[in-house]
């Protein structure tokens, strides 16, 4: 089993037997990639990550990314639409950090965890990871993308 360490981020090995879709985010499967932030509103790392991501909305939209923030058991959509999600279920399914701690996860369109970081990731790094995925490569070949 191999895992790639990338600037403090762990790329999940898809051959791992634990590789399974995240049930609490099933509504997004095959439609969106989901970037989930865990942190309370006063967490500086979360604020930095939010501001950075939201500065490139066109890039998020082009890659079908929904950005969610889980804080105090609640889920807020920072980019894209999300209703009726349970923050505690998402935290449990992703084995997220304790309340108030920062972590971020990238969930692929197949519903599985592709990336987990404990420090903010740059948009360039995030988009490079997404663009290296086979499904994203296929999307770029479609004339409407």
């Amino acid at each position: 089993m191999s895992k790639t360490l990338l600037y403090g981020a762990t790329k999940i090995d898809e051959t791992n037997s634990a590789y399974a879709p995240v049930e609490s985010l099933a509504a997004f499967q095959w439609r969106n990639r989901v970037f989930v932030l865990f942190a309370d509103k006063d967490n500086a790392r979360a604020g930095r990550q939010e501001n950075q991501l939201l500065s490139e909305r066109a890039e998020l939209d082009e890659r079908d990314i929904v950005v969610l923030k889980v804080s105090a058991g609640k889920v807020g959509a920072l980019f894209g639409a999300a209703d009726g999600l349970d923050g505690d279920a998402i935290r449990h399914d992703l084995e997220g950090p304790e309340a108030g701690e920062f972590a971020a996860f990238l969930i692929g369109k197949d519903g599985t965890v592709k990336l987990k970081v404990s420090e903010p990731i740059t948009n360039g790094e995030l988009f490079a990871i997404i663009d290296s995925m086979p499904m994203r490569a296929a999307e770029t070949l479609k004339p409407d993308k």
Side-chain angles (χ1 to χ4, degrees):
M1 175 171 64
S2 68
K3 292 186 180 182
T4 304
L5 190 62
L6 176 68
Y7 297 100
T10 304
K11 187 173 181 186
I12 304 301
D13 177 10
E14 297 177 10
T15 62
N16 187 327
S17 62
Y19 180 77
V22 178
E23 289 182 33
S24 55
L25 297 172
F28 299 102
Q29 194 169 3
W30 305 117
R31 295 182 317 148
N32 297 100
R33 293 173 183 91
V34 183
F35 191 82
V36 181
L37 293 169
F38 287 97
D40 290 330
K41 64 181 179 180
D42 59 349
N43 186 296
R45 290 180 292 174
R48 196 167 60 241
Q49 185 73 76
E50 287 175 38
N51 292 336
Q52 185 173 308
L53 282 171
L54 298 178
S55 71
E56 295 193 51
R57 292 173 184 266
E59 297 288 333
L60 295 172
D61 191 47
E62 180 181 324
R63 290 169 178 81
D64 300 324
I65 301 173
V66 171
V67 180
L68 304 176
K69 182 176 181 180
V70 177
S71 178
K74 296 181 181 174
V75 181
L78 300 177
F79 184 82
D83 292 320
L85 297 174
D86 181 341
D88 292 328
I90 294 170
R91 186 180 303 274
H92 177 267
D93 288 351
L94 293 175
E95 297 178 11
E98 296 294 321
E101 293 295 317
F102 176 84
F105 293 77
L106 174 64
I107 313 305
K109 282 189 173 183
D110 63 356
T112 63
V113 176
K114 302 299 183 186
L115 180 75
K116 176 185 177 183
V117 294
S118 57
E119 291 294 328
I121 184 171
T122 68
N123 288 352
E125 291 168 325
L126 177 63
F127 297 151
I129 289 167
I130 292 169
D131 292 346
S132 71
M133 295 176 182
M135 191 175 296
R136 173 66 181 150
E139 291 169 0
T140 62
L141 298 176
K142 291 180 183 177
D144 65 331
K145 278 283 180 183

